[in-house]
Amino acid sequence: MSSLTATAVGAGHTGQPPRRVPPTPSTRRLRADLLGLLPFAAYLLFFLAVPTILAVGSGFFDSAGGLTLDNITALADPLIVATFGNSIGLSLLTAVIGALLGALLCYALLGFRADGAVRATVAALSGVLAQFGGIMLAFAFVATIGLQGLITVWLRDSWGIDIFAEGAWIYGLPGLVLPYIYFQVPLMVITFLPALTALKATWVEATLTLGGTRAAFWRRVALPVLAPSFLASFLLLFANAFSSYATAAALASQGSQIVPLQIRAALTSETVLGRENLAGALALGMIVVMGLVMWAYAVVQGRAARWQK
Amino acid sequence: MSGAVRESAPAFAPGVIGSRAIVGVIGLLFAIPIVSMAEFTLRDSESAGGHSLVHWFALFDPANRASYAPIWVGLGNSMVLCLGVAVIVLFLLVPTMVLIALRFPRLRRPFEFLCLLPISIPAIVLVVGLAPVYLVIGRTIGTGIWPLSLAYGITVLPYAYRAIQANIDAVDISTLAEAARSLGAGWVTVLLKVLAPNLRTGILAALLLSVAVVLGEFTIASLLNRPNLQTALFVVNKQDPYVAVILSLLALGFAFVLLLVIDRGAAIGGRRGIRPSK
């Protein structure tokens, strides 16, 4: 066995004599191929690695360029802690609702033909609406539940209900919940449907043959198998909401209740000089939260992958 | 046992009535904001509470050309950006992915990790670091719109990667490449005449997804002060909300048709792969 692998490897490069030999055609080609990887590596370096390092690194400098921890300690400011709390709370709430509604929709889709028109339409719509988060989504919700929105006016004129009796909450934090759910549910459909369709019909047959019920199949087989996928999708939804900026930028008019808006305020602030570096510290805070979420995602995804072969 | 009758529905699927009810109710709820947008564009302030197509006609009225100018500039810029991102996907991402699949299979996992990384870096964080990068770019090659596509290439990377990798996994490209090589084809021929046609569904899906992402991007353009479709909609909305909403509806419809085409295209392509008869 060992002699076989030794000759196999020896035919490659490790068995070569130690003295210098002119490069063989295959090593020369390997070098050319490695060169082929360079353009993309350079691209990632300049437009992914450098910006990320600059973003996070700038939090450790003051406006004069000196090293400081002031921006990092500023993260403990009650206002900024509250902003992170708002962002995490909003993301959790919309991820929970989005995941449950989306999973229900996925379950309902199992009742339609896999290659039929309903599933194709829902898939395409989900793709569009998951990307829809942004300016257009803000327009849609202003047209729906804005001060003169279709639903607002209908509730007021037909039912005498004033949904803004407590103030114009649509332009504050609570106003973000419905728009966020609007892009969370489609994202859940995109990410969770493949896991649900991977459930095998033979598993339910096996359960029934062994004397189990459908309820037992769901409780003892399907739910444990789906749990990691569900959790992974949920984490992705959380990350999606946490990093979302455009909808809030277009909708929120008062203050900076969530972290991305706080970053904008720090970046564009002209009144308070030197605040740009606070943006770096806030970016670091976001990266830390996203890092934790993505680490959890990788762990859970590893478990989910076992069933998706 | 309605489930057993239909070939594709497994026994654990909900019944016909149940599934239609759920899809119907959720679909209805999701239609409300779209319908509200459509209703909004039809509002006619002059006929007190009435509706007309006046705002839709106004869009094409030459008299309004000046006030809608930002939209056309933004749309033009977004088209340039789509083109730039397409170039990055076609001439940078695809060749690198093919090279890794053929020559460095061990690099696949680390490469995948790098390509999916932008999902976990929020665009707003990327902007903080891109601002100094674009300051340098602005000084050296100018503040035109096209360099922004380099940043957008990063944001579409996860989507483009997934679409293309799925296709690479589905066709055995190393066998195809070796067969072509042993028949005497050079690498350019292999790439253009053998691999590209086999990867066309994945590449097409990647390009169309990229277009959808670029047309919807706001964060980076807005904070780097480069006008694109979304920032233009944001600006025009302040003076004429009707035209902003009309164009949003059109963009939405366009993206929906685009994705429906990919989905049907992939379904037909997949079926052709299994059963050559249809």
Side-chain angles (χ1 to χ4, degrees), chain A residues 264-297:
Chain A
R264 170 179 69 174
L267 273 180
T268 57
S269 162
E270 283 164 2
T271 47
V272 194
L273 274 174
R275 287 260 293 186
E276 307 90 54
N277 297 84
L278 183 61
L282 290 165
L284 173 68
M286 279 193 96
I287 289 268
V288 169
V289 174
M290 287 297 276
L292 287 173
V293 172
M294 284 299 153
W295 170 75
Y297 176 79

Coordinates of all heavy atoms in Angstrom, one line a residue, chain A residues 264-297:
Chain A
R264 N -25.0 56.3 8.7 CA -25.2 57.3 7.8 C -25.0 58.7 8.5 O -24.3 59.6 8.0 CB -26.6 57.3 7.1 CG -26.9 58.5 6.3 CD -28.2 58.5 5.7 NE -29.3 58.6 6.7 CZ -30.6 58.7 6.4 NH1 -30.9 58.7 5.1 NH2 -31.5 58.8 7.3
A265 N -25.6 58.8 9.6 CA -25.5 60.1 10.4 C -24.1 60.4 10.7 O -23.6 61.5 10.5 CB -26.3 60.0 11.7
A266 N -23.3 59.4 11.1 CA -21.9 59.6 11.4 C -21.1 60.0 10.2 O -20.2 60.8 10.2 CB -21.3 58.4 12.1
L267 N -21.4 59.3 9.0 CA -20.7 59.5 7.8 C -20.9 60.9 7.2 O -20.1 61.6 6.7 CB -21.1 58.5 6.7 CG -20.3 57.2 6.7 CD1 -20.9 56.3 5.6 CD2 -18.9 57.4 6.5
T268 N -22.2 61.3 7.3 CA -22.6 62.6 6.6 C -22.6 63.8 7.5 O -22.9 64.9 7.1 CB -23.9 62.4 5.9 OG1 -24.9 62.0 6.9 CG2 -23.9 61.3 4.8
S269 N -22.3 63.5 8.8 CA -22.4 64.6 9.7 C -21.4 65.7 9.4 O -20.3 65.5 9.3 CB -22.1 64.1 11.1 OG -21.8 65.2 12.0
E270 N -22.0 66.9 9.2 CA -21.1 68.1 8.9 C -21.0 69.0 10.1 O -20.1 69.8 10.2 CB -21.6 68.8 7.7 CG -21.3 68.1 6.4 CD -22.1 68.6 5.3 OE1 -22.9 69.6 5.5 OE2 -22.0 68.1 4.2
T271 N -21.9 68.8 11.1 CA -21.8 69.7 12.2 C -20.8 69.2 13.2 O -20.1 70.0 13.8 CB -23.2 69.8 12.9 OG1 -23.7 68.4 13.0 CG2 -24.1 70.6 12.1
V272 N -20.8 67.9 13.4 CA -19.8 67.4 14.4 C -18.6 66.8 13.7 O -18.7 65.7 13.1 CB -20.5 66.3 15.3 CG1 -19.6 66.0 16.5 CG2 -21.9 66.7 15.7
L273 N -17.5 67.5 13.8 CA -16.3 67.0 13.0 C -15.7 65.8 13.7 O -15.8 65.6 14.9 CB -15.3 68.1 13.0 CG -15.4 69.1 11.9 CD1 -14.4 70.3 12.0 CD2 -15.2 68.4 10.5
G274 N -15.1 65.0 12.9 CA -14.4 63.8 13.5 C -15.4 62.6 13.8 O -15.0 61.6 14.3
R275 N -16.7 62.8 13.4 CA -17.6 61.7 13.6 C -17.5 60.6 12.6 O -18.0 59.5 12.9 CB -19.0 62.2 13.6 CG -19.4 63.1 14.8 CD -20.2 62.3 15.8 NE -21.5 61.9 15.2 CZ -22.5 61.3 15.9 NH1 -22.2 61.1 17.2 NH2 -23.6 61.0 15.4
E276 N -16.7 60.8 11.5 CA -16.6 59.7 10.5 C -16.0 58.5 11.2 O -16.3 57.4 10.7 CB -15.7 60.2 9.3 CG -16.1 61.4 8.6 CD -15.4 62.6 9.3 OE1 -14.2 62.6 9.4 OE2 -16.1 63.6 9.6
N277 N -15.1 58.7 12.1 CA -14.5 57.5 12.7 C -15.4 56.8 13.6 O -15.2 55.6 13.9 CB -13.2 58.0 13.5 CG -12.2 58.6 12.6 OD1 -12.3 59.8 12.3 ND2 -11.3 57.8 12.1
L278 N -16.5 57.4 14.1 CA -17.5 56.7 14.8 C -18.2 55.7 13.9 O -18.6 54.6 14.3 CB -18.5 57.7 15.4 CG -19.6 57.0 16.3 CD1 -19.0 56.3 17.5 CD2 -20.6 58.1 16.8
A279 N -18.3 56.1 12.6 CA -18.9 55.2 11.6 C -18.1 53.9 11.6 O -18.7 52.8 11.5 CB -18.9 55.9 10.3
G280 N -16.8 54.0 11.7 CA -15.9 52.8 11.7 C -16.2 52.0 12.9 O -16.3 50.7 12.7
A281 N -16.4 52.6 14.0 CA -16.6 51.8 15.2 C -18.0 51.1 15.1 O -18.1 49.9 15.5 CB -16.6 52.7 16.5
L282 N -19.0 51.8 14.6 CA -20.3 51.2 14.4 C -20.2 50.1 13.4 O -20.9 49.0 13.6 CB -21.3 52.3 13.9 CG -21.7 53.4 14.9 CD1 -22.4 54.5 14.2 CD2 -22.6 52.8 16.0
A283 N -19.4 50.3 12.3 CA -19.2 49.2 11.3 C -18.6 48.0 12.0 O -19.0 46.8 11.7 CB -18.3 49.7 10.2
L284 N -17.6 48.2 12.9 CA -17.0 47.1 13.6 C -18.1 46.4 14.4 O -18.2 45.1 14.4 CB -15.9 47.6 14.5 CG -15.3 46.6 15.5 CD1 -14.5 45.6 14.7 CD2 -14.4 47.3 16.5
G285 N -19.0 47.2 15.1 CA -20.0 46.6 15.9 C -20.9 45.7 15.0 O -21.3 44.6 15.4
M286 N -21.3 46.2 13.8 CA -22.1 45.4 12.9 C -21.4 44.2 12.5 O -22.1 43.1 12.4 CB -22.5 46.3 11.7 CG -23.6 47.2 11.9 SD -24.2 47.9 10.3 CE -25.6 46.8 10.0
I287 N -20.1 44.3 12.2 CA -19.4 43.1 11.7 C -19.4 42.0 12.8 O -19.5 40.8 12.5 CB -17.9 43.5 11.3 CG1 -17.9 44.3 10.0 CG2 -17.0 42.3 11.2 CD1 -17.8 43.5 8.8
V288 N -19.2 42.5 14.1 CA -19.2 41.5 15.2 C -20.5 40.8 15.3 O -20.5 39.5 15.3 CB -18.8 42.2 16.5 CG1 -19.1 41.3 17.7 CG2 -17.4 42.7 16.5
V289 N -21.6 41.5 15.2 CA -22.9 40.9 15.3 C -23.1 39.9 14.1 O -23.5 38.8 14.2 CB -24.1 41.9 15.3 CG1 -25.4 41.3 15.2 CG2 -24.0 42.8 16.5
M290 N -22.8 40.4 12.9 CA -22.9 39.6 11.7 C -22.0 38.4 11.7 O -22.4 37.3 11.3 CB -22.6 40.4 10.4 CG -23.6 41.4 10.0 SD -25.2 40.7 9.6 CE -24.9 40.3 7.9
G291 N -20.8 38.6 12.3 CA -19.9 37.5 12.4 C -20.5 36.4 13.3 O -20.4 35.2 12.9
L292 N -21.0 36.8 14.4 CA -21.6 35.8 15.3 C -22.8 35.0 14.6 O -22.9 33.8 14.7 CB -22.2 36.5 16.6 CG -21.1 36.9 17.6 CD1 -21.8 37.8 18.7 CD2 -20.4 35.7 18.2
V293 N -23.6 35.8 13.9 CA -24.8 35.2 13.2 C -24.3 34.2 12.2 O -24.8 33.1 12.1 CB -25.7 36.3 12.6 CG1 -26.8 35.7 11.8 CG2 -26.3 37.1 13.7
M294 N -23.3 34.6 11.4 CA -22.8 33.8 10.3 C -22.1 32.5 10.8 O -22.1 31.5 10.2 CB -21.9 34.6 9.4 CG -22.7 35.5 8.5 SD -23.8 34.6 7.4 CE -25.1 35.8 7.1
W295 N -21.4 32.7 12.0 CA -20.8 31.5 12.6 C -21.8 30.5 13.0 O -21.7 29.3 12.7 CB -19.9 32.0 13.8 CG -19.5 30.9 14.7 CD1 -18.4 30.0 14.4 CD2 -20.0 30.4 15.9 NE1 -18.3 29.1 15.3 CE2 -19.2 29.3 16.3 CE3 -21.0 30.9 16.7 CZ2 -19.5 28.6 17.5 CZ3 -21.3 30.2 17.9 CH2 -20.5 29.1 18.3
A296 N -22.9 31.0 13.7 CA -24.0 30.1 14.1 C -24.6 29.5 12.8 O -24.9 28.3 12.8 CB -25.1 30.9 14.8
Y297 N -24.7 30.3 11.7 CA -25.3 29.8 10.5 C -24.5 28.6 10.0 O -25.0 27.6 9.6 CB -25.3 30.9 9.5 CG -25.8 30.5 8.1 CD1 -27.2 30.4 7.8 CD2 -24.9 30.3 7.1 CE1 -27.6 30.0 6.6 CE2 -25.3 30.0 5.8 CZ -26.7 29.8 5.6 OH -27.1 29.4 4.3

